[in-house]
Amino acid sequence: MTTSAVQPGTDAEAQRKRRHRKLLAAGLFGSSIEWYDFFLYGTAAALVFPQVFFPEQSPLIATLLSFSTFWAGFVARPIGGIVAGHYGDKYGRKPAVVVSLLAMGLATFLIGLLPGAASIGVAAPIILVFLRFVQGLACGGQWGGIVLLLTESSGPKRRGFSGTFGQMGVPFGVVLGNAVLLGATGALSNEAFLSWGWRVPFLASALLFPIVLYIHNKVEDTPEFRELQEEAKKKREAVVNAPLAQAIRNHWRTILLACGLLAATNALFYISIAGVLAYGTEELGMSRNDMLAVSLLSAGLTIGVVLWSGHISDKIGRRPMILIGAAAIVLWAFPYFMLVNTTNIVLFFVAVTVGSIFQSMTYGPVAAYIGELFAPNVRYSGASMSYQLAAVTVSGGTPFIMTALIAETGSTVPVSIFIALMGLVTLLSAWKLRETNPAEVRGDPTAIPGAHLH
């Protein structure tokens, strides 16, 4: 009698855990290929696009123009976040994620088919900017949806850990992108790589489509959103009529501070994966393949830091990890370029890897933290706007700003000052925001999956 009473609950719990493990895997694979697509463009903008799309310009002007097209994706990200947030808060997290992933895969695939300026002239960079803009729209929409699918489907004691399966997509994306580019550059001559070899990594984005199909057919929307839908259905009204307007009206200070949480990690990250590659190749005369290998290895090593920092934030709170990481970035800003400027590849590796560890400490807990700052009915809109504002104000412009500062001053000191200032912005933002995972929640034995994140 006892066995029959307990068994259904045990089976239900086992099924819930299996579903959640599949969701974590889908979130990790989907975000990894999504970020692979987005970051692949940044590496190509530093190493390939100046010659392919701006062949008549000087090396400096071609690099600046290439990084300008890189920036276009970041300009689009807040728009993508607004649109996906609106529909994600009204109709569900899953549909918004599916559309975003589909758009990203299609745009990246088409970049791989795009003729260069030598074939179609000025139309080539114009179409490139358009496709990069679509990438930005897709990227802006997917982040909030994936991290909310992961965190809202998890118990309060594991939201930091679960959210990292979306966050780990960033270093995995860098590893995948650099591995494919390294393979292409290693197997081909420089002429063949610039002619057609660079296209292969972009065409490989077709691998995203089976993951989209899996999420569409197999993944349920989150318990929190389904509960909101049930409540709205009983009242015969929409879950929320104008989620973005409501989020801005009631939470604008939180949106700005949550945006500031990403300033340090975004600035240092995009310098390491794009800006420093162009600087090392053109100004320092370092080997492109050596730097790509360092970037790949560094990203691989920091995947575990992202997972660890999210897990620790479940134990000690979200803010401590972010505060420690931001303070470390401030201190590392000047040693970073001192090591890079030696042109020694081992010291270059130390600079990039130590910086990546510090920025991963702030990035890991952010998925759970930003979501927890907002009420469920405006969470997609609030979280997406916070994340994507940081993208357009810091991320996209950083390689351009770095290149322009070095060209103007002939020194990397202004870039180090910029990194340190971004670290201070994150430090102050985390200091001002409330802790969303306090000790009483971490120690509550009754906390269950689907509990509200207020």
Side-chain angles (χ1 to χ4, degrees):
M1 195 70 167
T2 304
T3 303
S4 62
V6 174
Q7 190 64 36
T10 303
D11 289 345
E13 179 64 13
Q15 289 175 7
R16 186 194 68 77
K17 287 182 177 179
R18 279 196 298 273
R19 283 197 304 269
H20 191 63
R21 282 195 295 269
K22 290 179 180 178
L23 175 60
L24 293 179
L28 178 60
F29 287 123
S31 63
S32 295
I33 298 179
E34 174 97 354
W35 286 115
Y36 159 84
D37 289 352
F38 196 74
F39 294 145
L40 180 65
Y41 190 103
T43 307
L47 303 177
V48 179
F49 290 170
Q51 297 97 309
V52 174
F53 293 102
F54 307 101
E56 297 181 1
Q57 305 297 328
S58 70
L60 173 61
I61 298 301
T63 299
L64 288 171
L65 288 171
S66 184
F67 280 150
S68 296
T69 70
F70 180 65
W71 204 343
F74 293 89
V75 172
R77 277 171 59 171
I79 302 171
I82 288 169
V83 174
H86 174 81
Y87 287 102
D89 280 329
K90 289 191 75 169
Y91 304 113
R93 315 324 191 189
K94 188 180 84 168
V97 169
V98 167
V99 172
S100 297
L101 292 176
L102 193 61
M104 176 62 85
L106 185 60
T108 308
F109 187 81
L110 291 176
I111 289 173
L113 298 176
L114 180 62
S119 300
I120 60 173
V122 71
I126 291 173
I127 297 171
L128 180 68
V129 170
F130 171 75
L131 292 174
R132 178 60 175 172
F133 196 82
V134 174
Q135 275 193 326
L137 293 175
C139 187
Q142 70 85 19
W143 181 83
I146 283 183
V147 299
L148 292 184
L149 277 174
L150 295 171
T151 58
E152 287 186 342
S153 299
S154 180
K157 293 177 182 296
R158 290 175 63 82
R159 285 191 182 121
F161 173 79
S162 296
T164 63
F165 282 77
Q167 303 295 76
M168 284 189 293
V170 169
F172 269 121
V174 174
V175 169
L176 288 171
N178 285 354
V180 174
L181 278 173
L182 271 173
T185 56
L188 300 169
S189 67
N190 191 57
E191 292 74 19
F193 177 71
L194 290 175
S195 173
W196 61 269
W198 67 270
R199 300 178 182 279
V200 175
F202 285 86
L203 297 176
S205 66
L207 294 172
L208 189 57
F209 297 119
I211 296 171
V212 173
L213 194 63
Y214 176 84
I215 292 174
H216 177 70
N217 291 330
K218 300 294 184 181
V219 172
E220 294 181 346
D221 223 315
T222 71
E224 289 231 13
F225 185 79
R226 294 203 304 272
E227 187 177 326
L228 288 174
Q229 279 185 314
E230 288 301 317
E231 290 174 3
K233 198 177 293 183
K234 290 175 185 176
K235 297 176 184 177
R236 297 184 178 179
E237 59 185 30
V239 173
V240 59
N241 288 316
L244 179 65
Q246 192 170 321
I248 293 173
R249 184 171 61 249
N250 297 333
H251 306 285
W252 64 269
R253 288 185 184 85
T254 302
I255 289 172
L256 292 178
L257 288 170
C259 168
L261 290 176
L262 293 151
T265 185
N266 285 9
L268 189 53
F269 178 78
Y270 284 99
I271 282 174
S272 294
I273 71 158
V276 84
L277 293 179
Y279 173 66
T281 304
E282 294 161 17
E283 300 294 329
L284 301 180
M286 297 178 70
S287 163
R288 174 181 63 190
N289 282 6
D290 285 350
M291 289 189 296
L292 282 174
V294 163
S295 183
L296 186 155
L297 184 57
S298 175
L301 291 173
T302 54
I303 289 169
V305 182
V306 174
L307 184 67
W308 171 79
S309 62
H311 171 68
I312 292 298
S313 78
D314 286 330
K315 306 294 183 185
I316 66 173
R318 314 296 182 213
R319 291 170 74 239
M321 293 303 299
I322 296 172
L323 289 168
I324 293 167
I329 286 171
V330 173
L331 296 175
W332 191 245
F334 290 91
Y336 181 95
F337 274 104
M338 289 177 187
L339 295 172
V340 167
N341 286 333
T342 65
T343 71
N344 182 300
I345 196 65
V346 175
L347 296 180
F348 183 93
F349 169 76
V350 172
V352 172
T353 302
V354 172
S356 296
I357 288 170
F358 294 152
Q359 58 99 192
S360 296
M361 287 171 64
T362 72
Y363 191 64
V366 157
Y369 191 25
I370 292 181
E372 289 168 341
L373 289 168
F374 299 97
N377 63 332
V378 296
R379 184 170 292 140
Y380 202 146
S381 295
S384 291
M385 179 55 63
S386 302
Y387 193 90
Q388 305 312 335
L389 272 178
V392 74
T393 55
V394 179
S395 305
T398 291
F400 181 94
I401 290 167
M402 174 183 163
T403 303
L405 284 174
I406 294 172
E408 181 68 25
T409 65
S411 169
T412 56
V413 171
V415 186
S416 293
I417 293 172
F418 172 74
I419 294 171
L421 288 174
M422 293 301 100
L424 289 174
V425 169
T426 294
L427 200 64
L428 292 173
S429 298
W431 187 263
K432 293 288 290 182
L433 285 166
R434 64 185 173 87
E435 175 59 67
T436 59
N437 188 27
E440 58 269 24
V441 173
R442 301 195 299 269
D444 182 5
T446 65
I448 58 171
H452 282 307
L453 300 172
H454 295 298

